Amino acid sequence: METRCGRTINVTRFAPHGLPAPMGRVVLDTSCAPHDEGELWASLTAEEARRLAGPLLCQAAAVDPRAAALPGEVEAVPVAGDAFEIRTRGHVLMADQPQSARGTDTAPTPVELFVAPVALSVPAEFRKADDRPARVAALALTVRAPSLPSERLAALRAVVSHCTVTNVSCGEDETISAPGPGPAGR
């Protein structure tokens, strides 16, 4: 990746053959420029840091000596304060709380991560409950299919009703709309 300050950063891994698995390392490769005066540094924008995080996490998973978890196994590991690494099958996600909740706002909240899989398929909005216990009170999904013939609407509803995540959480709060001005059904 090329940074705005002109630095090229490559992310690779070093896993020597014949050595134990824990010897694998993630490598950040960048070259020194004449103005570095013997010091190696990189200055990143927030967007560049996010772009760099993806390759770093991929290479970290590749050299991680721990056995990959089985599907369905998820581990939350404290990082600092309310920030956690969420590990599953060699993948790592981060969760944190916003600064208004005494977090550092370095990652989505656990509730935002809970809603995220739904948003991969359709736009989703959530509302947290005002009372205790803390929970997601409502999860609203909107499926728009403007070019769907009305005779296919029942088939679309059947597909939406089979989503693993939404079947756990949202019940009747989805809206499916077909051609026309408003929602076709609830």
Side-chain angles (χ1 to χ4, degrees), residues 11 21 31 66 71 111 118 123 172-173 178 182:
V11 180
S31 58
R66 293 172 292 181
V111 173
V118 176
E172 298 294 321
D173 285 341

Side-chain angles (χ1 to χ4, degrees), residues 32 36 38 47 68 118 131 145 158 168:
C32 285
D36 288 333
E47 182 57 34
V118 176
D131 58 350
V168 169

Side-chain angles (χ1 to χ4, degrees), residues 52-124:
L52 184 59
L56 282 169
L57 290 171
C58 287
Q59 296 299 341
V63 299
D64 195 340
R66 293 172 292 181
L70 298 172
E73 290 183 10
V74 180
E75 175 187 22
V77 179
V79 174
D82 284 338
F84 285 82
E85 277 188 356
I86 300 133
R87 300 176 183 168
T88 183
R89 297 185 306 102
H91 302 284
V92 178
L93 302 169
M94 293 294 297
D96 197 357
Q97 294 294 327
Q99 291 176 342
S100 62
R102 294 183 301 227
T104 54
D105 204 14
T106 59
T109 68
V111 173
E112 291 163 341
L113 288 172
F114 174 75
V115 175
V118 176
L120 289 172
S121 303
V122 297

Side-chain angles (χ1 to χ4, degrees), residues 18-46:
L19 293 177
M23 293 297 295
R25 297 287 188 261
V26 175
V27 178
L28 271 172
D29 182 27
T30 188
S31 58
C32 285
H35 63 270
D36 288 333
E37 299 177 10
E39 293 182 356
L40 182 61
W41 59 271
S43 174
L44 305 174
T45 66

